[in-house]
Amino acid sequence: MARLLVTGGAGFIGANLVQYWAAQYPDDRIVVLDALTYAGNLASLESVSNHENYRFVKGDIVDKELVERVLREEQIDTIVHFAAESHVDRSISGPAAFIETNIVGTHNLLHAARAVWLDSDDAPASHRFHHVSTDEVYGSLGPDDPGFTEATPYAPNSPYSASKAASDHLVRAYHHTFGLDVTTSNCSNNYGPFQFPEKLLPLMIVNALDGKPLPVYGDGSNIRDWLYVEDHVRGIDLVIKNGRSGETYNIGGNEEWANIDIVRAICQGIDEAFSSDPTLAQRFPGAPAASGGQSASLITSVKDRPGHDWRYAIDASRIEGELGFSPRHDFATGLQATITWMLDQEPWWRAVMDG
């Protein structure tokens, strides 16, 4: 039986991992540590709140004493580290929070893990520190460049990606210097249930339903590789269980889409949903689709953000070859599932946005 500490477990990907793990491994102990900033929401963990092996701790990973105390109290043997500031636009307007959480916070976790797992007489027989990172640490690709591999040199271009790159290096250093058992995964853009509505897909869905502009940076030609969150957490599971200590695994969806095409696909999906369900017009009267219009009429070009990376793409051959991972969702099915979830879970995202 594993004993997990999931940092940032009330956030988007963390909450999906917690729900997945509770269903797959009900005998495992799951402790969530989350500061409940704007992007963390206990409602995302409601389905596991009564799970007998689940505990929530409100706290910040920059609190070194708290982290070490939880590790000892709960006899944690596995850390899954999601907690991070993650929105590029916010890192441009306020980079200090990203340095504090993503770099200082990650180091505090590593320091506590070393103290409990390597320097204690009652250390667990085995341990693993899994660090969840991003493909943005690799920089930007040209139109014909091959996808990022685990050997691609780091070239972060935003305060967010720079802070994540630093945290990746700290994790690697604690493995090579102190012998901590670590793995790292760098993922492509995630989407799916429980994503805070500042990110591209949920923002566009919510705005289309409310009849608000759909802002697209520049000409919308920026390309991202999209990964459905359920596929991502399966990949993380494989890395934690079977990944080689000290190694990095890139997890991608093999779905490269230009931003403008993403927005158009969302508009089409929403229009089709309104056509098949007349009650949606009553629930969302401000949506163009409610009066027979097209959601795409809301698309609005806005000034590009500073340092906007043009293209990301993941070469996931290592995790596919070593661990047998492959995505189960293509973008069409994942997007449909996401739109359906958003339509069904309006109280969740309304509360999140109001909070």
Side-chain angles (χ1 to χ4, degrees):
M1 182 183 77
R3 304 184 69 87
L4 275 70
L5 175 66
V6 183
T7 71
F12 166 43
I13 308 174
N16 276 277
L17 184 281
V18 170
Q19 294 179 44
Y20 165 89
W21 207 277
Q24 292 292 318
Y25 310 108
D27 292 333
D28 285 359
R29 177 68 165 168
I30 304 172
V31 180
V32 170
L33 176 65
D34 199 295
L36 295 181
T37 61
Y38 77 95
N41 193 322
L42 280 177
S44 302
L45 295 169
E46 186 174 349
S47 66
V48 298
S49 59
N50 293 322
H51 193 285
E52 62 180 357
N53 287 323
Y54 163 80
R55 175 190 174 193
F56 177 81
V57 178
K58 183 179 180 180
D60 199 317
I61 58 172
V62 301
D63 186 341
K64 189 183 305 182
E65 289 74 21
L66 171 63
V67 171
E68 186 168 336
R69 184 169 69 250
V70 171
L71 291 180
R72 293 188 187 279
E73 284 178 356
E74 291 287 348
Q75 299 179 304
I76 298 295
D77 56 35
T78 305
I79 294 175
V80 192
H81 178 33
F82 291 100
E85 296 285 346
S86 65
H87 192 47
V88 174
D89 287 357
R90 287 177 183 263
S91 81
I92 294 170
S93 61
F98 289 72
I99 306 305
E100 182 73 7
T101 298
N102 299 356
I103 301 177
V104 177
T106 298
H107 181 257
N108 283 344
L109 280 172
L110 290 163
H111 185 273
R114 178 191 175 197
V116 175
W117 290 345
L118 301 180
D119 299 337
S120 296
D121 293 335
D122 58 348
S126 62
H127 67 265
R128 172 143 291 184
F129 185 113
H130 181 72
H131 175 56
V132 181
S133 190
T134 172
D135 58 359
E136 296 190 39
V137 299
Y138 300 120
S140 183
L141 294 170
D144 300 318
D145 291 337
F148 300 127
T149 72
E150 291 81 0
T152 299
Y154 277 29
N157 291 319
S158 71
Y160 161 60
S161 57
S163 67
K164 290 297 289 186
S167 67
D168 292 6
H169 293 321
L170 285 169
V171 172
R172 175 183 173 87
Y174 263 71
H175 172 72
H176 286 276
T177 302
F178 303 117
L180 201 67
D181 183 348
V182 307
T183 47
T184 296
S185 56
N186 295 78
C187 68
S188 56
N189 280 39
N190 277 221
Y191 67 102
F194 300 106
Q195 188 170 31
F196 189 80
E198 68 180 356
K199 298 299 180 76
L200 181 63
L201 269 74
L203 174 65
M204 296 298 161
I205 294 170
V206 168
N207 281 13
L209 294 175
D210 286 345
K212 297 179 179 179
L214 308 182
V216 177
Y217 284 126
D219 62 1
S221 64
N222 302 77
I223 295 171
R224 300 292 183 264
D225 177 12
W226 291 91
L227 174 66
Y228 192 60
V229 66
E230 288 182 7
D231 288 324
H232 185 195
V233 299
R234 283 194 306 104
I236 291 172
D237 182 13
L238 288 170
V239 174
I240 291 171
K241 295 290 181 61
N242 303 314
R244 289 180 288 137
S245 183
E247 289 296 333
T248 295
Y249 294 86
N250 286 350
I251 307 177
N254 299 319
E255 289 281 355
E256 289 189 58
W257 285 70
N259 286 347
I260 187 62
D261 293 330
I262 291 285
V263 177
R264 289 170 178 157
I266 291 170
C267 290
Q268 180 179 345
I270 289 175
D271 292 349
E272 291 174 353
F274 273 73
S275 295
S276 61
D277 184 356
T279 66
L280 292 177
Q282 300 171 3
R283 290 175 54 198
F284 305 102
S291 54
Q294 295 186 333
S295 299
S297 65
L298 300 170
I299 296 175
T300 305
S301 178
V302 297
K303 182 181 178 180
D304 209 353
R305 72 184 178 205
H308 196 178
D309 290 338
W310 187 71
R311 173 176 169 248
Y312 304 143
I314 285 282
D315 177 346
S317 56
R318 170 179 285 182
I319 193 171
E320 292 169 0
E322 289 188 17
L323 306 182
F325 171 82
S326 62
R328 293 176 180 170
H329 300 81
D330 60 21
F331 186 74
T333 58
L335 176 59
Q336 179 59 55
T338 302
I339 291 174
T340 299
W341 188 89
M342 294 288 286
L343 291 172
D344 291 343
Q345 300 296 327
E346 182 185 3
W348 180 88
W349 52 263
R350 292 287 185 200
V352 168
M353 295 172 69
D354 291 343

